[in-house]
C-alpha cells in the first residue's frame, strides 16, 4: 500500500511519463518492478507476481488500458495461444455430430 505511494513520489517524473504513456501495459512500472524482485511473493516462486501487480495498478489508474493490460498479462503468464480465436470447421463438426 504505502510502498506504491512512496514509489510514485520518489520516481515522480518517470511515473508520470509511464502513466501518460499510450501503452503503459507494455512498459515496466518505474521504481516498482526493479524492487519487486525482493518481494516475498517473488522469493516464494511466484513468477506472475510482477505482471499481476502491473495489471492491478493499471486497473486502478488507467482503466481505459485495462483490456489491453489483461491481454498482455494473459500473453505473459499463460502464453499467446490463449489469446488466439478458436476456429471451427462447421462441415467437420456436422460430420462428427450424432443425430440422436
Amino acid at each position: 500500500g504505502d510502498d506504491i505511494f512512496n514509489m510514485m513520489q520518489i520516481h515522480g517524473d518517470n511515473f508520470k511519463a509511464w502513466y501518460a504513456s499510450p501503452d503503459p501495459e507494455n512498459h515496466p512500472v518505474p521504481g516498482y518492478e526493479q524492487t519487486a524482485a525482493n518481494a516475498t511473493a517473488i522469493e516464494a516462486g511466484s513468477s506472475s507476481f510482477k505482471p499481476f501487480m502491473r495489471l492491478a495498478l493499471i486497473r486502478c489508474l488507467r482503466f481505459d488500458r485495462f483490456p489491453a493490460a489483461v491481454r498482455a498479462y494473459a500473453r505473459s503468464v499463460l502464453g499467446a495461444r490463449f489469446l488466439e480465436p478458436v476456429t471451427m470447421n462447421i462441415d467437420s463438426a456436422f460430420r462428427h455430430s450424432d443425430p440422436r
Side-chain angles (χ1 to χ4, degrees), residues 8-91:
M8 288 178 184
Q9 289 177 336
I10 293 168
H11 301 279
D13 290 338
N14 291 334
F15 195 86
K16 190 182 238 183
W18 175 84
Y19 174 83
S21 169
D23 60 343
E25 68 279 358
N26 294 322
H27 303 285
V29 179
Y32 177 74
E33 295 189 38
Q34 296 84 2
T35 59
N38 297 324
T40 304
I42 297 295
E43 290 171 3
S46 175
S47 62
S48 63
F49 182 74
K50 286 191 287 185
F52 182 77
M53 291 305 291
R54 183 187 308 147
L55 179 65
L57 196 58
I58 290 172
R59 168 61 177 86
C60 292
L61 300 176
R62 288 288 307 270
F63 189 71
D64 62 312
R65 296 302 303 167
F66 188 62
V70 168
R71 286 189 297 275
Y73 175 78
R75 187 177 299 109
S76 72
V77 174
L78 301 174
R81 70 183 183 100
F82 285 92
L83 300 173
E84 296 171 1
V86 176
T87 57
M88 183 176 119
N89 182 326
I90 193 73
D91 292 328

